[in-house]
Short mmCIF file of all heavy atoms in Angstrom, two decimals:
data_model
loop_
_atom_site.label_atom_id
_atom_site.label_comp_id
_atom_site.label_asym_id
_atom_site.label_seq_id
_atom_site.Cartn_x
_atom_site.Cartn_y
_atom_site.Cartn_z
N VAL A 290 126.44 18.12 -70.70
CA VAL A 290 126.12 17.18 -71.84
C VAL A 290 126.45 17.91 -73.15
O VAL A 290 126.25 19.06 -73.25
CB VAL A 290 124.63 16.87 -71.87
CG1 VAL A 290 124.14 16.07 -73.15
CG2 VAL A 290 124.19 15.96 -70.67
N ASN A 291 127.09 17.24 -74.08
CA ASN A 291 127.48 17.81 -75.34
C ASN A 291 126.28 18.31 -76.21
O ASN A 291 125.23 17.61 -76.12
CB ASN A 291 128.14 16.85 -76.32
CG ASN A 291 129.46 16.50 -75.75
OD1 ASN A 291 130.08 16.95 -74.80
ND2 ASN A 291 129.92 15.38 -76.38
N VAL A 292 126.40 19.37 -76.90
CA VAL A 292 125.36 19.90 -77.64
C VAL A 292 125.33 19.11 -79.02
O VAL A 292 124.22 18.94 -79.48
CB VAL A 292 125.57 21.46 -77.97
CG1 VAL A 292 124.58 21.92 -78.76
CG2 VAL A 292 125.62 22.21 -76.63
N SER A 293 126.42 18.65 -79.40
CA SER A 293 126.41 18.00 -80.83
C SER A 293 126.36 16.48 -80.67
O SER A 293 126.59 15.97 -79.48
CB SER A 293 127.52 18.43 -81.49
OG SER A 293 128.68 18.24 -80.83
N ALA A 294 125.97 15.87 -81.76
CA ALA A 294 125.87 14.42 -81.73
C ALA A 294 127.11 13.69 -81.36
O ALA A 294 128.25 14.21 -81.52
CB ALA A 294 125.38 13.92 -83.11
N SER A 295 127.00 12.37 -80.81
CA SER A 295 128.21 11.71 -80.47
C SER A 295 128.18 10.31 -81.31
O SER A 295 127.25 9.80 -81.68
CB SER A 295 128.29 11.40 -78.99
OG SER A 295 127.06 11.77 -78.34
N THR A 296 129.41 9.88 -81.46
CA THR A 296 129.67 8.67 -82.37
C THR A 296 129.89 7.47 -81.47
O THR A 296 130.59 7.57 -80.62
CB THR A 296 130.82 9.06 -83.29
OG1 THR A 296 130.53 10.11 -84.01
CG2 THR A 296 131.05 7.84 -84.32
N PHE A 297 129.07 6.44 -81.81
CA PHE A 297 129.32 5.19 -81.06
C PHE A 297 130.59 4.53 -81.52
O PHE A 297 130.90 4.34 -82.69
CB PHE A 297 128.12 4.37 -81.33
CG PHE A 297 127.93 3.28 -80.26
CD1 PHE A 297 127.09 3.47 -79.16
CD2 PHE A 297 128.54 1.99 -80.40
CE1 PHE A 297 126.85 2.61 -78.22
CE2 PHE A 297 128.36 1.06 -79.40
CZ PHE A 297 127.46 1.35 -78.22
N ASN A 298 131.39 4.08 -80.49
CA ASN A 298 132.72 3.57 -80.82
C ASN A 298 132.81 2.24 -80.17
O ASN A 298 133.07 2.16 -78.93
CB ASN A 298 133.84 4.58 -80.28
CG ASN A 298 135.19 4.07 -80.61
OD1 ASN A 298 135.45 2.86 -80.69
ND2 ASN A 298 136.06 5.02 -80.54
N MET A 299 132.68 1.17 -80.88
CA MET A 299 132.63 -0.17 -80.33
C MET A 299 134.00 -0.50 -79.84
O MET A 299 134.06 -1.27 -78.84
CB MET A 299 132.41 -1.18 -81.62
CG MET A 299 130.95 -1.32 -81.99
SD MET A 299 129.88 -2.02 -80.88
CE MET A 299 128.36 -1.84 -81.77
N GLU A 300 135.11 -0.03 -80.40
CA GLU A 300 136.44 -0.43 -79.79
C GLU A 300 136.50 0.05 -78.37
O GLU A 300 137.15 -0.55 -77.56
CB GLU A 300 137.49 0.35 -80.77
CG GLU A 300 137.65 -0.06 -82.07
CD GLU A 300 138.32 -1.51 -82.08
OE1 GLU A 300 139.48 -1.54 -81.54
OE2 GLU A 300 137.79 -2.36 -82.62
N LYS A 301 136.05 1.16 -78.19
CA LYS A 301 136.22 1.93 -76.79
C LYS A 301 135.31 1.01 -75.78
O LYS A 301 135.71 0.92 -74.74
CB LYS A 301 135.78 3.33 -76.89
CG LYS A 301 136.11 4.00 -75.61
CD LYS A 301 136.14 5.51 -75.93
CE LYS A 301 135.88 6.25 -74.60
NZ LYS A 301 135.47 7.67 -74.80
N LEU A 302 134.12 0.77 -76.30
CA LEU A 302 133.26 -0.04 -75.47
C LEU A 302 133.82 -1.40 -75.07
O LEU A 302 133.80 -1.87 -73.92
CB LEU A 302 131.89 -0.33 -76.12
CG LEU A 302 130.91 -1.33 -75.41
CD1 LEU A 302 130.63 -0.74 -74.04
CD2 LEU A 302 129.67 -1.37 -76.25
N LEU A 303 134.65 -2.02 -76.03
CA LEU A 303 135.25 -3.32 -75.97
C LEU A 303 136.42 -3.07 -74.83
O LEU A 303 136.63 -3.95 -73.85
CB LEU A 303 135.78 -3.71 -77.14
CG LEU A 303 136.17 -5.34 -77.28
CD1 LEU A 303 134.95 -6.12 -77.00
CD2 LEU A 303 136.69 -5.53 -78.75
N TRP A 304 137.06 -1.90 -74.96
CA TRP A 304 138.15 -1.77 -73.99
C TRP A 304 137.63 -1.52 -72.65
O TRP A 304 138.23 -2.13 -71.70
CB TRP A 304 138.84 -0.43 -74.51
CG TRP A 304 139.87 0.21 -73.50
CD1 TRP A 304 141.22 -0.33 -73.38
CD2 TRP A 304 139.64 1.31 -72.63
NE1 TRP A 304 141.85 0.49 -72.40
CE2 TRP A 304 140.87 1.35 -71.92
CE3 TRP A 304 138.59 1.95 -72.29
CZ2 TRP A 304 141.07 2.31 -70.97
CZ3 TRP A 304 138.77 3.05 -71.28
CH2 TRP A 304 139.99 3.23 -70.70
N LEU A 305 136.42 -0.91 -72.50
CA LEU A 305 135.99 -0.68 -71.17
C LEU A 305 135.40 -1.98 -70.62
O LEU A 305 135.53 -2.20 -69.35
CB LEU A 305 134.69 0.27 -71.26
CG LEU A 305 134.99 1.71 -71.11
CD1 LEU A 305 133.77 2.45 -71.51
CD2 LEU A 305 135.41 2.11 -69.77
N ASN A 306 134.82 -2.86 -71.45
CA ASN A 306 134.39 -4.11 -71.00
C ASN A 306 135.61 -5.02 -70.39
O ASN A 306 135.41 -5.51 -69.38
CB ASN A 306 133.76 -4.84 -72.16
CG ASN A 306 132.78 -5.93 -71.81
OD1 ASN A 306 132.02 -5.80 -70.82
ND2 ASN A 306 132.85 -7.09 -72.35
N HIS A 307 136.70 -4.93 -71.18
CA HIS A 307 137.75 -5.70 -70.69
C HIS A 307 138.25 -5.11 -69.29
O HIS A 307 138.49 -5.83 -68.32
CB HIS A 307 138.98 -5.61 -71.71
CG HIS A 307 140.07 -6.65 -71.30
ND1 HIS A 307 141.30 -6.39 -71.53
CD2 HIS A 307 140.02 -7.82 -70.67
CE1 HIS A 307 142.08 -7.39 -71.04
NE2 HIS A 307 141.31 -8.27 -70.54
N HIS A 308 138.23 -3.77 -69.22
CA HIS A 308 138.47 -3.20 -67.90
C HIS A 308 137.71 -3.73 -66.73
O HIS A 308 138.17 -4.08 -65.74
CB HIS A 308 138.42 -1.64 -68.12
CG HIS A 308 138.58 -1.02 -66.62
ND1 HIS A 308 139.70 -0.69 -66.07
CD2 HIS A 308 137.56 -0.68 -65.83
CE1 HIS A 308 139.42 -0.06 -64.89
NE2 HIS A 308 138.17 -0.17 -64.69
N TYR A 309 136.29 -3.81 -67.09
CA TYR A 309 135.44 -4.10 -65.98
C TYR A 309 135.51 -5.69 -65.78
O TYR A 309 135.44 -6.13 -64.60
CB TYR A 309 134.01 -3.89 -66.32
CG TYR A 309 133.83 -2.25 -66.01
CD1 TYR A 309 133.69 -1.34 -66.89
CD2 TYR A 309 133.52 -2.00 -64.66
CE1 TYR A 309 133.58 0.08 -66.62
CE2 TYR A 309 133.32 -0.61 -64.40
CZ TYR A 309 133.51 0.34 -65.41
OH TYR A 309 133.35 1.64 -65.00
N ILE A 310 135.91 -6.44 -66.84
CA ILE A 310 136.04 -7.92 -66.57
C ILE A 310 137.15 -8.20 -65.65
O ILE A 310 137.18 -8.95 -64.68
CB ILE A 310 136.20 -8.65 -67.95
CG1 ILE A 310 134.78 -8.69 -68.68
CG2 ILE A 310 136.78 -10.04 -67.77
CD1 ILE A 310 134.86 -9.41 -69.92
N MET A 311 138.18 -7.24 -65.88
CA MET A 311 139.48 -7.44 -65.04
C MET A 311 139.25 -6.98 -63.72
O MET A 311 139.99 -7.45 -62.81
CB MET A 311 140.62 -6.60 -65.77
CG MET A 311 141.15 -7.16 -67.04
SD MET A 311 142.28 -8.55 -66.73
CE MET A 311 143.64 -7.90 -65.87
N ASN A 312 138.55 -5.86 -63.53
CA ASN A 312 138.64 -5.27 -62.20
C ASN A 312 137.38 -5.31 -61.34
O ASN A 312 137.31 -5.04 -60.17
CB ASN A 312 138.69 -3.60 -62.46
CG ASN A 312 140.20 -3.42 -62.97
OD1 ASN A 312 141.18 -3.55 -62.29
ND2 ASN A 312 140.31 -3.16 -64.30
N ALA A 313 136.21 -5.86 -61.92
CA ALA A 313 135.06 -6.08 -61.10
C ALA A 313 135.33 -7.19 -60.21
O ALA A 313 136.28 -8.08 -60.33
CB ALA A 313 133.82 -6.29 -62.04
N GLU A 314 134.46 -7.33 -59.12
CA GLU A 314 134.73 -8.57 -58.29
C GLU A 314 134.46 -9.83 -59.03
O GLU A 314 133.48 -9.90 -59.85
CB GLU A 314 133.61 -8.55 -57.18
CG GLU A 314 133.73 -7.46 -56.09
CD GLU A 314 135.00 -7.65 -55.28
OE1 GLU A 314 135.38 -8.90 -55.08
OE2 GLU A 314 135.68 -6.71 -54.88
N PRO A 315 135.43 -10.84 -59.03
CA PRO A 315 135.27 -11.99 -59.76
C PRO A 315 133.81 -12.65 -59.51
O PRO A 315 133.33 -13.31 -60.46
CB PRO A 315 136.38 -13.04 -59.19
CG PRO A 315 137.31 -12.07 -58.63
CD PRO A 315 136.60 -10.70 -58.12
N GLU A 316 133.35 -12.49 -58.33
CA GLU A 316 131.96 -13.28 -58.05
C GLU A 316 130.95 -12.50 -58.98
O GLU A 316 130.09 -13.20 -59.32
CB GLU A 316 131.62 -12.94 -56.63
CG GLU A 316 132.33 -13.72 -55.58
CD GLU A 316 133.80 -13.26 -55.22
OE1 GLU A 316 134.12 -12.11 -55.64
OE2 GLU A 316 134.62 -14.10 -54.67
N HIS A 317 131.07 -11.15 -59.11
CA HIS A 317 130.09 -10.47 -59.92
C HIS A 317 130.24 -10.90 -61.39
O HIS A 317 129.26 -11.12 -62.07
CB HIS A 317 130.42 -8.97 -59.79
CG HIS A 317 129.56 -8.05 -60.71
ND1 HIS A 317 128.26 -7.91 -60.44
CD2 HIS A 317 129.80 -7.56 -61.91
CE1 HIS A 317 127.74 -7.14 -61.36
NE2 HIS A 317 128.72 -6.91 -62.29
N VAL A 318 131.52 -11.05 -61.85
CA VAL A 318 131.70 -11.38 -63.39
C VAL A 318 131.26 -12.82 -63.50
O VAL A 318 130.51 -13.14 -64.35
CB VAL A 318 133.23 -11.41 -63.69
CG1 VAL A 318 133.49 -11.75 -65.00
CG2 VAL A 318 133.74 -9.99 -63.44
N ALA A 319 131.47 -13.80 -62.43
CA ALA A 319 130.97 -15.04 -62.47
C ALA A 319 129.38 -15.26 -62.60
O ALA A 319 128.92 -16.10 -63.32
CB ALA A 319 131.44 -15.84 -61.35
N ARG A 320 128.66 -14.23 -61.93
CA ARG A 320 127.32 -14.38 -61.91
C ARG A 320 126.85 -14.23 -63.44
O ARG A 320 125.93 -14.65 -63.93
CB ARG A 320 126.62 -13.19 -61.11
CG ARG A 320 126.29 -13.74 -59.68
CD ARG A 320 125.37 -12.90 -58.93
NE ARG A 320 125.95 -11.57 -58.72
CZ ARG A 320 126.85 -11.22 -57.90
NH1 ARG A 320 127.27 -12.11 -56.96
NH2 ARG A 320 127.32 -9.94 -57.68
N HIS A 321 127.52 -13.13 -64.08
CA HIS A 321 127.12 -12.82 -65.46
C HIS A 321 127.60 -13.85 -66.35
O HIS A 321 126.93 -14.28 -67.45
CB HIS A 321 127.72 -11.43 -66.00
CG HIS A 321 126.85 -10.29 -65.32
ND1 HIS A 321 125.70 -9.85 -65.76
CD2 HIS A 321 127.07 -9.63 -64.20
CE1 HIS A 321 125.20 -9.01 -64.91
NE2 HIS A 321 126.10 -8.75 -64.03
N LEU A 322 128.76 -14.46 -66.11
CA LEU A 322 129.31 -15.46 -66.97
C LEU A 322 128.39 -16.74 -66.95
O LEU A 322 128.30 -17.40 -67.97
CB LEU A 322 130.77 -15.87 -66.52
CG LEU A 322 131.48 -16.95 -67.40
CD1 LEU A 322 131.59 -16.50 -68.78
CD2 LEU A 322 132.84 -17.28 -66.77
N SER A 323 127.83 -16.95 -65.80
CA SER A 323 127.15 -18.19 -65.68
C SER A 323 125.88 -18.29 -66.62
O SER A 323 125.42 -19.29 -67.13
CB SER A 323 126.61 -18.45 -64.17
OG SER A 323 125.51 -17.67 -63.90
N TRP A 324 125.33 -17.08 -66.93
CA TRP A 324 124.32 -16.95 -67.87
C TRP A 324 124.80 -17.47 -69.31
O TRP A 324 124.18 -18.11 -70.03
CB TRP A 324 123.75 -15.55 -67.95
CG TRP A 324 122.62 -15.40 -68.90
CD1 TRP A 324 121.36 -15.64 -68.73
CD2 TRP A 324 122.78 -15.04 -70.38
NE1 TRP A 324 120.58 -15.42 -69.83
CE2 TRP A 324 121.35 -14.99 -70.94
CE3 TRP A 324 123.75 -14.72 -71.17
CZ2 TRP A 324 121.05 -14.88 -72.20
CZ3 TRP A 324 123.42 -14.48 -72.59
CH2 TRP A 324 122.13 -14.46 -73.05
N HIS A 325 126.03 -16.94 -69.64
CA HIS A 325 126.54 -17.40 -70.93
C HIS A 325 126.93 -18.88 -71.01
O HIS A 325 126.73 -19.59 -72.00
CB HIS A 325 127.84 -16.61 -71.22
CG HIS A 325 127.55 -15.19 -71.52
ND1 HIS A 325 127.09 -14.78 -72.72
CD2 HIS A 325 127.45 -14.01 -70.77
CE1 HIS A 325 126.89 -13.41 -72.68
NE2 HIS A 325 127.28 -12.97 -71.47
N MET A 326 127.37 -19.47 -69.86
CA MET A 326 127.72 -20.80 -69.75
C MET A 326 126.33 -21.73 -69.98
O MET A 326 126.49 -22.57 -70.74
CB MET A 326 128.36 -21.30 -68.40
CG MET A 326 129.68 -20.53 -68.11
SD MET A 326 130.93 -20.73 -69.33
CE MET A 326 131.77 -22.19 -68.70
N GLY A 327 125.25 -21.08 -69.32
CA GLY A 327 123.97 -21.75 -69.56
C GLY A 327 123.57 -21.83 -71.00
O GLY A 327 123.03 -22.69 -71.52
N GLN A 328 123.93 -20.63 -71.65
CA GLN A 328 123.49 -20.58 -73.13
C GLN A 328 124.26 -21.60 -73.90
O GLN A 328 123.79 -22.09 -74.98
CB GLN A 328 123.94 -19.22 -73.65
CG GLN A 328 123.16 -17.95 -73.21
CD GLN A 328 121.74 -18.01 -73.46
OE1 GLN A 328 120.86 -18.28 -72.58
NE2 GLN A 328 121.28 -17.86 -74.65
N LEU A 329 125.42 -22.08 -73.42
CA LEU A 329 126.23 -23.08 -74.18
C LEU A 329 125.69 -24.46 -73.74
O LEU A 329 126.39 -25.45 -74.12
CB LEU A 329 127.81 -22.97 -73.94
CG LEU A 329 128.35 -21.59 -74.45
CD1 LEU A 329 129.89 -21.60 -74.07
CD2 LEU A 329 128.23 -21.42 -75.91
N GLY A 330 124.78 -24.43 -72.86
CA GLY A 330 124.21 -25.79 -72.46
C GLY A 330 125.16 -26.51 -71.45
O GLY A 330 125.11 -27.70 -71.30
N LEU A 331 126.07 -25.69 -70.71
CA LEU A 331 126.95 -26.41 -69.72
C LEU A 331 126.35 -26.58 -68.33
O LEU A 331 125.65 -25.71 -67.89
CB LEU A 331 128.32 -25.55 -69.64
CG LEU A 331 128.94 -25.36 -70.98
CD1 LEU A 331 130.05 -24.36 -70.91
CD2 LEU A 331 129.46 -26.74 -71.61
N ASP A 332 126.70 -27.54 -67.82
CA ASP A 332 126.18 -27.88 -66.32
C ASP A 332 127.42 -27.48 -65.38
O ASP A 332 128.36 -28.19 -65.36
CB ASP A 332 125.76 -29.30 -66.11
CG ASP A 332 125.37 -29.60 -64.74
OD1 ASP A 332 125.37 -28.70 -63.87
OD2 ASP A 332 125.09 -30.81 -64.46
N LEU A 333 127.28 -26.37 -64.75
CA LEU A 333 128.36 -25.89 -64.01
C LEU A 333 128.68 -26.78 -62.72
O LEU A 333 129.70 -26.66 -62.15
CB LEU A 333 128.01 -24.41 -63.52
CG LEU A 333 127.98 -23.46 -64.54
CD1 LEU A 333 127.64 -22.01 -64.04
CD2 LEU A 333 129.20 -23.39 -65.44
N ALA A 334 127.71 -27.65 -62.46
CA ALA A 334 128.07 -28.57 -61.25
C ALA A 334 129.16 -29.56 -61.68
O ALA A 334 129.69 -30.23 -60.83
CB ALA A 334 126.74 -29.24 -60.92
N THR A 335 129.34 -29.71 -62.96
CA THR A 335 130.34 -30.81 -63.36
C THR A 335 131.62 -30.24 -63.39
O THR A 335 132.65 -30.95 -63.92
CB THR A 335 129.87 -31.21 -64.86
OG1 THR A 335 130.01 -30.16 -65.65
CG2 THR A 335 128.47 -31.71 -64.88
N GLY A 336 132.00 -29.09 -63.03
CA GLY A 336 133.37 -28.42 -63.13
C GLY A 336 133.76 -27.64 -61.92
O GLY A 336 133.04 -27.61 -60.93
N PRO A 337 134.86 -26.92 -62.03
CA PRO A 337 135.23 -26.03 -60.98
C PRO A 337 134.25 -24.88 -60.62
O PRO A 337 133.55 -24.49 -61.49
CB PRO A 337 136.60 -25.53 -61.51
CG PRO A 337 136.58 -25.60 -63.00
CD PRO A 337 135.69 -26.85 -63.27
N ALA A 338 134.47 -24.23 -59.57
CA ALA A 338 133.75 -23.12 -59.16
C ALA A 338 133.97 -22.07 -60.19
O ALA A 338 135.17 -21.76 -60.56
CB ALA A 338 134.08 -22.58 -57.82
N LEU A 339 132.94 -21.45 -60.70
CA LEU A 339 132.99 -20.52 -61.88
C LEU A 339 133.96 -19.31 -61.48
O LEU A 339 134.67 -18.77 -62.36
CB LEU A 339 131.66 -19.96 -62.31
CG LEU A 339 131.55 -19.48 -63.74
CD1 LEU A 339 132.14 -20.43 -64.70
CD2 LEU A 339 130.10 -19.16 -64.06
N VAL A 340 133.93 -18.93 -60.28
CA VAL A 340 134.74 -17.66 -59.86
C VAL A 340 136.15 -18.04 -60.03
O VAL A 340 136.91 -17.08 -60.44
CB VAL A 340 134.26 -17.27 -58.42
CG1 VAL A 340 134.70 -18.36 -57.39
CG2 VAL A 340 134.87 -16.06 -58.05
N ASP A 341 136.69 -19.24 -59.89
CA ASP A 341 138.00 -19.62 -60.12
C ASP A 341 138.43 -19.50 -61.57
O ASP A 341 139.40 -19.19 -61.95
CB ASP A 341 138.34 -20.96 -59.48
CG ASP A 341 138.13 -21.01 -58.00
OD1 ASP A 341 138.46 -19.92 -57.35
OD2 ASP A 341 137.78 -21.93 -57.37
N VAL A 342 137.38 -19.99 -62.35
CA VAL A 342 137.51 -19.80 -63.81
C VAL A 342 137.74 -18.40 -64.35
O VAL A 342 138.56 -18.05 -65.03
CB VAL A 342 136.42 -20.48 -64.64
CG1 VAL A 342 136.47 -20.30 -66.10
CG2 VAL A 342 136.38 -22.01 -64.18
N VAL A 343 136.89 -17.49 -63.71
CA VAL A 343 136.99 -16.14 -64.03
C VAL A 343 138.42 -15.65 -63.72
O VAL A 343 139.06 -14.94 -64.48
CB VAL A 343 136.01 -15.36 -63.24
CG1 VAL A 343 136.27 -13.74 -63.37
CG2 VAL A 343 134.46 -15.66 -63.72
N LYS A 344 138.90 -15.95 -62.69
CA LYS A 344 140.16 -15.38 -62.09
C LYS A 344 141.34 -15.86 -63.07
O LYS A 344 142.19 -15.13 -63.29
CB LYS A 344 140.50 -15.91 -60.63
CG LYS A 344 139.69 -15.27 -59.57
CD LYS A 344 140.14 -15.79 -58.27
CE LYS A 344 139.02 -15.34 -57.30
NZ LYS A 344 139.21 -16.26 -56.01
N ILE A 345 141.25 -16.97 -63.67
CA ILE A 345 142.38 -17.28 -64.60
C ILE A 345 142.15 -17.00 -66.04
O ILE A 345 143.08 -16.88 -66.79
CB ILE A 345 142.61 -18.87 -64.47
CG1 ILE A 345 141.49 -19.64 -64.97
CG2 ILE A 345 143.15 -19.08 -63.11
CD1 ILE A 345 142.06 -21.26 -65.13
N GLN A 346 140.76 -16.71 -66.34
CA GLN A 346 140.48 -16.35 -67.78
C GLN A 346 140.45 -14.93 -67.90
O GLN A 346 140.37 -14.42 -69.19
CB GLN A 346 139.21 -16.96 -68.13
CG GLN A 346 139.11 -18.53 -68.23
CD GLN A 346 139.86 -19.14 -69.42
OE1 GLN A 346 140.75 -18.49 -70.00
NE2 GLN A 346 139.36 -20.20 -69.77
N ARG A 347 140.21 -14.11 -67.04
CA ARG A 347 139.84 -12.70 -67.20
C ARG A 347 140.75 -11.77 -68.02
O ARG A 347 140.56 -10.89 -68.77
CB ARG A 347 139.35 -12.00 -66.05
CG ARG A 347 140.50 -11.82 -64.95
CD ARG A 347 139.84 -11.26 -63.64
NE ARG A 347 140.75 -11.41 -62.61
CZ ARG A 347 140.58 -10.91 -61.40
NH1 ARG A 347 139.41 -10.33 -61.15
NH2 ARG A 347 141.39 -11.06 -60.38
N GLU A 348 142.11 -12.12 -67.83
CA GLU A 348 143.15 -11.26 -68.54
C GLU A 348 142.98 -11.49 -70.08
O GLU A 348 143.19 -10.53 -70.72
CB GLU A 348 144.30 -11.71 -67.95
CG GLU A 348 145.55 -10.69 -68.33
CD GLU A 348 146.81 -11.00 -67.73
OE1 GLU A 348 146.80 -11.65 -66.65
OE2 GLU A 348 147.74 -10.43 -68.24
N ARG A 349 142.68 -12.72 -70.43
CA ARG A 349 142.66 -12.95 -71.78
C ARG A 349 141.30 -12.73 -72.52
O ARG A 349 141.06 -13.02 -73.72
CB ARG A 349 143.22 -14.30 -72.14
CG ARG A 349 142.38 -15.42 -71.56
CD ARG A 349 143.03 -16.75 -71.88
NE ARG A 349 144.39 -16.88 -71.24
CZ ARG A 349 145.57 -17.02 -71.87
NH1 ARG A 349 145.48 -17.23 -73.16
NH2 ARG A 349 146.68 -17.17 -71.30
N SER A 350 140.32 -12.28 -71.81
CA SER A 350 138.93 -12.25 -72.41
C SER A 350 138.31 -10.88 -72.43
O SER A 350 138.24 -10.16 -71.35
CB SER A 350 137.89 -13.07 -71.44
OG SER A 350 138.47 -14.28 -71.19
N LYS A 351 138.13 -10.35 -73.58
CA LYS A 351 137.53 -9.06 -73.70
C LYS A 351 135.92 -9.00 -73.54
O LYS A 351 135.43 -7.91 -73.22
CB LYS A 351 137.86 -8.49 -75.10
CG LYS A 351 139.41 -8.14 -75.24
CD LYS A 351 139.42 -6.96 -76.35
CE LYS A 351 140.63 -6.35 -76.34
NZ LYS A 351 141.91 -7.19 -76.72
N THR A 352 135.44 -10.24 -73.76
CA THR A 352 133.94 -10.27 -73.60
C THR A 352 133.71 -11.67 -72.84
O THR A 352 134.47 -12.52 -72.79
CB THR A 352 133.15 -10.28 -74.92
OG1 THR A 352 133.42 -11.61 -75.49
CG2 THR A 352 133.52 -9.26 -75.82
N LEU A 353 132.58 -11.70 -72.18
CA LEU A 353 132.21 -12.93 -71.49
C LEU A 353 131.74 -14.08 -72.41
O LEU A 353 131.89 -15.18 -72.12
CB LEU A 353 130.91 -12.60 -70.66
CG LEU A 353 131.15 -11.61 -69.58
CD1 LEU A 353 129.88 -11.37 -68.78
CD2 LEU A 353 132.23 -12.10 -68.64
N VAL A 354 131.50 -13.70 -73.75
CA VAL A 354 131.35 -14.82 -74.80
C VAL A 354 132.67 -15.43 -75.01
O VAL A 354 132.69 -16.67 -75.05
CB VAL A 354 130.74 -14.07 -76.12
CG1 VAL A 354 130.87 -15.13 -77.24
CG2 VAL A 354 129.24 -13.73 -75.95
N GLU A 355 133.70 -14.61 -75.17
CA GLU A 355 135.02 -15.24 -75.27
C GLU A 355 135.41 -16.05 -74.12
O GLU A 355 135.92 -17.14 -74.23
CB GLU A 355 136.12 -14.14 -75.51
CG GLU A 355 136.17 -13.44 -76.86
CD GLU A 355 137.10 -12.24 -76.81
OE1 GLU A 355 138.06 -12.24 -76.04
OE2 GLU A 355 136.97 -11.46 -77.64
#
Side-chain angles (χ1 to χ4, degrees):
V290 171
N291 293 348
V292 177
S293 50
S295 3
T296 305
F297 201 91
N298 180 339
M299 287 288 180
E300 292 285 308
K301 193 162 155 193
L302 174 59
L303 199 59
W304 172 79
L305 272 170
N306 201 44
H307 191 214
H308 169 86
Y309 280 99
I310 286 177
M311 288 285 289
N312 294 287
E314 288 297 326
E316 289 76 12
H317 175 79
V318 179
R320 267 195 301 281
H321 286 279
L322 179 64
S323 82
W324 183 84
H325 290 277
M326 300 301 270
Q328 294 300 105
L329 297 177
L331 301 171
D332 176 0
L333 296 180
T335 62
L339 201 55
V340 65
D341 293 327
V342 172
V343 168
K344 285 181 196 159
I345 64 167
Q346 293 282 31
R347 59 186 171 178
E348 198 170 335
R349 62 184 61 242
S350 312
K351 287 205 166 71
T352 70
L353 297 179
V354 165
E355 279 176 24

